[in-house]
Amino acid sequence: MTDPASRSPAPQFPALRMRRTRAAPWTRALHAENTLSPADLIWPIFVTEGTGVTDAIRTMPGVDRLSVDKLAAAARQAVGLGIPCIALFPNTQADRRSEDGAEALNPDNLVCRAIKALKDAEPGLGVLVDVALDPYTSHGHDGLMHDDGRILNDATVEVLVGQSLNQARAGADVIAPSDMMDGRVAAIRAGLEGEGFHDVQIMAYAAKYASAFYGPFRDAVGSGGYLKGDKKTYQMDPANSREAIREVALDIAEGADSVMVKPGMPYLDIIRMVRDRFDVPVFAYQVSGEYALIEAAVAAGVLDRDRAVLETLTGFKRAGCSGVLTYYAPLAAKLLQRG
Ligand code: PBG
């Protein structure tokens, strides 16, 4: 139809037409306030024992556990796509899990072999490794458990320092404590300095909430079946935001190079608050349950995956993130390369 407005007289005042800057791709590109690039992405990968293994994760369709020999190809893929960093999560075999999680200190454990495989294949690729005992404990908790069921703080921190050093010796570039024990960042920083690992970064899971959205991850690393109770005595209450500010302030004071908010999508307000108050880089983790949520909607035919993924990741940038840990890293990087 012809546009009746084109015949109307010019308005007396400059018309506030917000749609002008949206009218064509060139002007939308020019006016974009935030941009997403493959360089914003950290790709979490699950590793498992064996050779030639690509093991599907039931609750995370499209994500596999890879054996160590498959990591070189993943490293090359990441570099080819412009993804700067991979995060590793081990699915420790049952007979290596114990009350005290001692396997975390084994220099030849699965994650240490995985770190070396990535570094051998692509020395320039960043390797981030979680610090927490849940892949190694027979009770599935991130810390040591007292006979009465309490998760011990200071005794756990000592083991976490050992775990961090073990992973740094294997070649990890970034140590990411996800355990939420008090005082662990300072202790890990001191441990790393003491062994000369001055350039190993700490990305603190600073505001990590006790969340339903970690369910598929626990399936992926095999800790879910073991977990006794919940993690509410150390992970944060989803009702709280001021407490997140205190957590972040502490981790910065203790020597964190960057901080993380986790989960991601339900906590964009926390990301924004942290960004506004502190001048450290902020990362978000778009966790396993967020991945599963989108995949379920795609499988049900109600969402367009590519668009939904890019929109959620752009949302993290808009909220103030420097980068995002996401299982969609390879897909998003491909979509962004295509333009
Ligand atoms: C381990 C850890 C968890 C995640 C990252 N590190 C699970 C948990 O705390 O129970 C969750 C990541 C995800 O859900 O994708 N401490």
PDB file of all heavy atoms in Angstrom, residues 263-285:
ATOM      1  N   PRO A 263      24.722 -18.652  38.051  1.00  0.00           N
ATOM      2  CA  PRO A 263      24.457 -18.741  36.616  1.00  0.00           C
ATOM      3  C   PRO A 263      24.441 -17.372  35.939  1.00  0.00           C
ATOM      4  O   PRO A 263      24.693 -16.353  36.585  1.00  0.00           O
ATOM      5  CB  PRO A 263      23.075 -19.399  36.559  1.00  0.00           C
ATOM      6  CG  PRO A 263      22.909 -20.101  37.853  1.00  0.00           C
ATOM      7  CD  PRO A 263      23.637 -19.256  38.835  1.00  0.00           C
ATOM      8  N   GLY A 264      24.080 -17.375  34.649  1.00  0.00           N
ATOM      9  CA  GLY A 264      24.117 -16.139  33.889  1.00  0.00           C
ATOM     10  C   GLY A 264      22.767 -15.484  33.704  1.00  0.00           C
ATOM     11  O   GLY A 264      22.459 -14.457  34.320  1.00  0.00           O
ATOM     12  N   MET A 265      21.916 -16.083  32.875  1.00  0.00           N
ATOM     13  CA  MET A 265      20.679 -15.406  32.474  1.00  0.00           C
ATOM     14  C   MET A 265      19.785 -14.968  33.635  1.00  0.00           C
ATOM     15  O   MET A 265      19.257 -13.862  33.608  1.00  0.00           O
ATOM     16  CB  MET A 265      19.906 -16.259  31.458  1.00  0.00           C
ATOM     17  CG  MET A 265      20.458 -16.121  30.045  1.00  0.00           C
ATOM     18  SD  MET A 265      20.427 -17.610  29.000  1.00  0.00           S
ATOM     19  CE  MET A 265      18.793 -18.237  29.204  1.00  0.00           C
ATOM     20  N   PRO A 266      19.611 -15.791  34.680  1.00  0.00           N
ATOM     21  CA  PRO A 266      18.740 -15.303  35.763  1.00  0.00           C
ATOM     22  C   PRO A 266      19.420 -14.257  36.669  1.00  0.00           C
ATOM     23  O   PRO A 266      18.797 -13.763  37.604  1.00  0.00           O
ATOM     24  CB  PRO A 266      18.430 -16.571  36.578  1.00  0.00           C
ATOM     25  CG  PRO A 266      18.934 -17.721  35.774  1.00  0.00           C
ATOM     26  CD  PRO A 266      20.005 -17.181  34.879  1.00  0.00           C
ATOM     27  N   TYR A 267      20.693 -13.942  36.404  1.00  0.00           N
ATOM     28  CA  TYR A 267      21.451 -13.062  37.303  1.00  0.00           C
ATOM     29  C   TYR A 267      22.085 -11.872  36.578  1.00  0.00           C
ATOM     30  O   TYR A 267      23.114 -11.356  37.007  1.00  0.00           O
ATOM     31  CB  TYR A 267      22.525 -13.895  38.036  1.00  0.00           C
ATOM     32  CG  TYR A 267      21.892 -14.951  38.926  1.00  0.00           C
ATOM     33  CD1 TYR A 267      21.567 -16.206  38.417  1.00  0.00           C
ATOM     34  CD2 TYR A 267      21.530 -14.662  40.234  1.00  0.00           C
ATOM     35  CE1 TYR A 267      20.931 -17.161  39.204  1.00  0.00           C
ATOM     36  CE2 TYR A 267      20.896 -15.605  41.028  1.00  0.00           C
ATOM     37  CZ  TYR A 267      20.592 -16.851  40.504  1.00  0.00           C
ATOM     38  OH  TYR A 267      19.948 -17.778  41.289  1.00  0.00           O
ATOM     39  N   LEU A 268      21.440 -11.413  35.513  1.00  0.00           N
ATOM     40  CA  LEU A 268      21.990 -10.276  34.760  1.00  0.00           C
ATOM     41  C   LEU A 268      22.050  -9.017  35.629  1.00  0.00           C
ATOM     42  O   LEU A 268      22.906  -8.152  35.429  1.00  0.00           O
ATOM     43  CB  LEU A 268      21.146 -10.007  33.510  1.00  0.00           C
ATOM     44  CG  LEU A 268      21.241 -11.055  32.389  1.00  0.00           C
ATOM     45  CD1 LEU A 268      20.251 -10.724  31.282  1.00  0.00           C
ATOM     46  CD2 LEU A 268      22.646 -11.159  31.825  1.00  0.00           C
ATOM     47  N   ASP A 269      21.135  -8.920  36.588  1.00  0.00           N
ATOM     48  CA  ASP A 269      21.149  -7.749  37.479  1.00  0.00           C
ATOM     49  C   ASP A 269      22.416  -7.738  38.344  1.00  0.00           C
ATOM     50  O   ASP A 269      22.973  -6.669  38.621  1.00  0.00           O
ATOM     51  CB  ASP A 269      19.893  -7.738  38.372  1.00  0.00           C
ATOM     52  CG  ASP A 269      19.771  -8.993  39.225  1.00  0.00           C
ATOM     53  OD1 ASP A 269      20.138 -10.093  38.750  1.00  0.00           O
ATOM     54  OD2 ASP A 269      19.309  -8.881  40.375  1.00  0.00           O
ATOM     55  N   ILE A 270      22.868  -8.923  38.712  1.00  0.00           N
ATOM     56  CA  ILE A 270      24.089  -9.009  39.536  1.00  0.00           C
ATOM     57  C   ILE A 270      25.302  -8.596  38.696  1.00  0.00           C
ATOM     58  O   ILE A 270      26.182  -7.855  39.162  1.00  0.00           O
ATOM     59  CB  ILE A 270      24.279 -10.440  40.085  1.00  0.00           C
ATOM     60  CG1 ILE A 270      23.017 -10.920  40.809  1.00  0.00           C
ATOM     61  CG2 ILE A 270      25.504 -10.512  40.993  1.00  0.00           C
ATOM     62  CD1 ILE A 270      22.635 -10.116  42.025  1.00  0.00           C
ATOM     63  N   ILE A 271      25.329  -9.059  37.466  1.00  0.00           N
ATOM     64  CA  ILE A 271      26.432  -8.683  36.563  1.00  0.00           C
ATOM     65  C   ILE A 271      26.497  -7.165  36.444  1.00  0.00           C
ATOM     66  O   ILE A 271      27.565  -6.557  36.559  1.00  0.00           O
ATOM     67  CB  ILE A 271      26.232  -9.313  35.163  1.00  0.00           C
ATOM     68  CG1 ILE A 271      26.290 -10.835  35.243  1.00  0.00           C
ATOM     69  CG2 ILE A 271      27.267  -8.780  34.170  1.00  0.00           C
ATOM     70  CD1 ILE A 271      25.801 -11.553  33.985  1.00  0.00           C
ATOM     71  N   ARG A 272      25.357  -6.552  36.217  1.00  0.00           N
ATOM     72  CA  ARG A 272      25.326  -5.092  36.049  1.00  0.00           C
ATOM     73  C   ARG A 272      25.804  -4.375  37.317  1.00  0.00           C
ATOM     74  O   ARG A 272      26.574  -3.414  37.263  1.00  0.00           O
ATOM     75  CB  ARG A 272      23.901  -4.668  35.641  1.00  0.00           C
ATOM     76  CG  ARG A 272      23.609  -3.186  35.639  1.00  0.00           C
ATOM     77  CD  ARG A 272      24.646  -2.324  34.945  1.00  0.00           C
ATOM     78  NE  ARG A 272      24.847  -2.651  33.544  1.00  0.00           N
ATOM     79  CZ  ARG A 272      25.892  -2.231  32.820  1.00  0.00           C
ATOM     80  NH1 ARG A 272      26.810  -1.439  33.356  1.00  0.00           N
ATOM     81  NH2 ARG A 272      26.024  -2.595  31.569  1.00  0.00           N
ATOM     82  N   MET A 273      25.348  -4.862  38.459  1.00  0.00           N
ATOM     83  CA  MET A 273      25.779  -4.231  39.721  1.00  0.00           C
ATOM     84  C   MET A 273      27.288  -4.345  39.899  1.00  0.00           C
ATOM     85  O   MET A 273      27.962  -3.391  40.294  1.00  0.00           O
ATOM     86  CB  MET A 273      25.093  -4.908  40.918  1.00  0.00           C
ATOM     87  CG  MET A 273      23.655  -4.503  41.109  1.00  0.00           C
ATOM     88  SD  MET A 273      22.893  -5.462  42.451  1.00  0.00           S
ATOM     89  CE  MET A 273      23.723  -4.756  43.861  1.00  0.00           C
ATOM     90  N   VAL A 274      27.815  -5.516  39.636  1.00  0.00           N
ATOM     91  CA  VAL A 274      29.256  -5.727  39.802  1.00  0.00           C
ATOM     92  C   VAL A 274      30.027  -4.842  38.831  1.00  0.00           C
ATOM     93  O   VAL A 274      31.010  -4.193  39.194  1.00  0.00           O
ATOM     94  CB  VAL A 274      29.611  -7.224  39.609  1.00  0.00           C
ATOM     95  CG1 VAL A 274      31.114  -7.435  39.570  1.00  0.00           C
ATOM     96  CG2 VAL A 274      28.983  -8.068  40.721  1.00  0.00           C
ATOM     97  N   ARG A 275      29.567  -4.795  37.589  1.00  0.00           N
ATOM     98  CA  ARG A 275      30.232  -3.974  36.568  1.00  0.00           C
ATOM     99  C   ARG A 275      30.285  -2.495  36.993  1.00  0.00           C
ATOM    100  O   ARG A 275      31.284  -1.811  36.813  1.00  0.00           O
ATOM    101  CB  ARG A 275      29.462  -4.109  35.241  1.00  0.00           C
ATOM    102  CG  ARG A 275      29.989  -3.285  34.133  1.00  0.00           C
ATOM    103  CD  ARG A 275      31.168  -3.988  33.446  1.00  0.00           C
ATOM    104  NE  ARG A 275      32.269  -3.088  33.195  1.00  0.00           N
ATOM    105  CZ  ARG A 275      33.394  -3.034  33.927  1.00  0.00           C
ATOM    106  NH1 ARG A 275      33.571  -3.787  34.982  1.00  0.00           N
ATOM    107  NH2 ARG A 275      34.358  -2.227  33.605  1.00  0.00           N
ATOM    108  N   ASP A 276      29.160  -2.022  37.550  1.00  0.00           N
ATOM    109  CA  ASP A 276      29.083  -0.608  37.914  1.00  0.00           C
ATOM    110  C   ASP A 276      29.937  -0.267  39.133  1.00  0.00           C
ATOM    111  O   ASP A 276      30.370   0.866  39.289  1.00  0.00           O
ATOM    112  CB  ASP A 276      27.626  -0.209  38.182  1.00  0.00           C
ATOM    113  CG  ASP A 276      26.824  -0.103  36.894  1.00  0.00           C
ATOM    114  OD1 ASP A 276      27.451  -0.065  35.801  1.00  0.00           O
ATOM    115  OD2 ASP A 276      25.580  -0.070  36.966  1.00  0.00           O
ATOM    116  N   ARG A 277      30.146  -1.237  40.002  1.00  0.00           N
ATOM    117  CA  ARG A 277      30.839  -0.926  41.249  1.00  0.00           C
ATOM    118  C   ARG A 277      32.328  -1.209  41.268  1.00  0.00           C
ATOM    119  O   ARG A 277      33.042  -0.688  42.107  1.00  0.00           O
ATOM    120  CB  ARG A 277      30.231  -1.750  42.383  1.00  0.00           C
ATOM    121  CG  ARG A 277      28.808  -1.372  42.605  1.00  0.00           C
ATOM    122  CD  ARG A 277      28.522  -1.445  44.050  1.00  0.00           C
ATOM    123  NE  ARG A 277      27.100  -1.360  44.243  1.00  0.00           N
ATOM    124  CZ  ARG A 277      26.541  -1.331  45.419  1.00  0.00           C
ATOM    125  NH1 ARG A 277      27.291  -1.392  46.493  1.00  0.00           N
ATOM    126  NH2 ARG A 277      25.245  -1.256  45.530  1.00  0.00           N
ATOM    127  N   PHE A 278      32.785  -2.098  40.390  1.00  0.00           N
ATOM    128  CA  PHE A 278      34.192  -2.516  40.450  1.00  0.00           C
ATOM    129  C   PHE A 278      34.825  -2.408  39.071  1.00  0.00           C
ATOM    130  O   PHE A 278      34.153  -2.594  38.064  1.00  0.00           O
ATOM    131  CB  PHE A 278      34.306  -3.978  40.926  1.00  0.00           C
ATOM    132  CG  PHE A 278      33.690  -4.225  42.264  1.00  0.00           C
ATOM    133  CD1 PHE A 278      32.423  -4.790  42.354  1.00  0.00           C
ATOM    134  CD2 PHE A 278      34.366  -3.891  43.429  1.00  0.00           C
ATOM    135  CE1 PHE A 278      31.843  -5.023  43.592  1.00  0.00           C
ATOM    136  CE2 PHE A 278      33.798  -4.129  44.665  1.00  0.00           C
ATOM    137  CZ  PHE A 278      32.528  -4.686  44.757  1.00  0.00           C
ATOM    138  N   ASP A 279      36.129  -2.148  39.094  1.00  0.00           N
ATOM    139  CA  ASP A 279      36.831  -2.034  37.822  1.00  0.00           C
ATOM    140  C   ASP A 279      37.644  -3.276  37.500  1.00  0.00           C
ATOM    141  O   ASP A 279      38.737  -3.179  36.948  1.00  0.00           O
ATOM    142  CB  ASP A 279      37.729  -0.784  37.829  1.00  0.00           C
ATOM    143  CG  ASP A 279      36.894   0.476  37.787  1.00  0.00           C
ATOM    144  OD1 ASP A 279      35.852   0.457  37.099  1.00  0.00           O
ATOM    145  OD2 ASP A 279      37.250   1.463  38.450  1.00  0.00           O
ATOM    146  N   VAL A 280      37.116  -4.432  37.853  1.00  0.00           N
ATOM    147  CA  VAL A 280      37.769  -5.670  37.398  1.00  0.00           C
ATOM    148  C   VAL A 280      36.910  -6.278  36.292  1.00  0.00           C
ATOM    149  O   VAL A 280      35.701  -6.038  36.239  1.00  0.00           O
ATOM    150  CB  VAL A 280      37.925  -6.735  38.514  1.00  0.00           C
ATOM    151  CG1 VAL A 280      38.883  -6.265  39.580  1.00  0.00           C
ATOM    152  CG2 VAL A 280      36.579  -7.131  39.071  1.00  0.00           C
ATOM    153  N   PRO A 281      37.527  -7.056  35.416  1.00  0.00           N
ATOM    154  CA  PRO A 281      36.733  -7.732  34.385  1.00  0.00           C
ATOM    155  C   PRO A 281      35.707  -8.676  35.016  1.00  0.00           C
ATOM    156  O   PRO A 281      36.014  -9.375  35.985  1.00  0.00           O
ATOM    157  CB  PRO A 281      37.778  -8.514  33.583  1.00  0.00           C
ATOM    158  CG  PRO A 281      39.088  -7.847  33.886  1.00  0.00           C
ATOM    159  CD  PRO A 281      38.967  -7.332  35.286  1.00  0.00           C
ATOM    160  N   VAL A 282      34.503  -8.675  34.462  1.00  0.00           N
ATOM    161  CA  VAL A 282      33.423  -9.531  34.950  1.00  0.00           C
ATOM    162  C   VAL A 282      33.066 -10.552  33.868  1.00  0.00           C
ATOM    163  O   VAL A 282      32.890 -10.181  32.699  1.00  0.00           O
ATOM    164  CB  VAL A 282      32.156  -8.707  35.269  1.00  0.00           C
ATOM    165  CG1 VAL A 282      31.076  -9.603  35.872  1.00  0.00           C
ATOM    166  CG2 VAL A 282      32.474  -7.555  36.189  1.00  0.00           C
ATOM    167  N   PHE A 283      32.966 -11.791  34.279  1.00  0.00           N
ATOM    168  CA  PHE A 283      32.549 -12.847  33.358  1.00  0.00           C
ATOM    169  C   PHE A 283      31.258 -13.472  33.873  1.00  0.00           C
ATOM    170  O   PHE A 283      30.965 -13.414  35.057  1.00  0.00           O
ATOM    171  CB  PHE A 283      33.646 -13.915  33.240  1.00  0.00           C
ATOM    172  CG  PHE A 283      34.852 -13.408  32.506  1.00  0.00           C
ATOM    173  CD1 PHE A 283      35.814 -12.648  33.165  1.00  0.00           C
ATOM    174  CD2 PHE A 283      35.010 -13.648  31.155  1.00  0.00           C
ATOM    175  CE1 PHE A 283      36.916 -12.145  32.478  1.00  0.00           C
ATOM    176  CE2 PHE A 283      36.107 -13.148  30.461  1.00  0.00           C
ATOM    177  CZ  PHE A 283      37.061 -12.400  31.121  1.00  0.00           C
ATOM    178  N   ALA A 284      30.505 -14.048  32.940  1.00  0.00           N
ATOM    179  CA  ALA A 284      29.304 -14.790  33.331  1.00  0.00           C
ATOM    180  C   ALA A 284      29.459 -16.214  32.842  1.00  0.00           C
ATOM    181  O   ALA A 284      30.139 -16.470  31.847  1.00  0.00           O
ATOM    182  CB  ALA A 284      28.068 -14.170  32.700  1.00  0.00           C
ATOM    183  N   TYR A 285      28.819 -17.111  33.538  1.00  0.00           N
ATOM    184  CA  TYR A 285      28.764 -18.507  33.096  1.00  0.00           C
ATOM    185  C   TYR A 285      27.322 -18.800  32.708  1.00  0.00           C
ATOM    186  O   TYR A 285      26.437 -18.808  33.559  1.00  0.00           O
ATOM    187  CB  TYR A 285      29.220 -19.425  34.231  1.00  0.00           C
ATOM    188  CG  TYR A 285      29.647 -20.828  33.837  1.00  0.00           C
ATOM    189  CD1 TYR A 285      30.672 -21.476  34.511  1.00  0.00           C
ATOM    190  CD2 TYR A 285      29.034 -21.519  32.788  1.00  0.00           C
ATOM    191  CE1 TYR A 285      31.086 -22.758  34.165  1.00  0.00           C
ATOM    192  CE2 TYR A 285      29.432 -22.792  32.438  1.00  0.00           C
ATOM    193  CZ  TYR A 285      30.464 -23.412  33.131  1.00  0.00           C
ATOM    194  OH  TYR A 285      30.861 -24.694  32.802  1.00  0.00           O
TER     195      TYR A 285
END
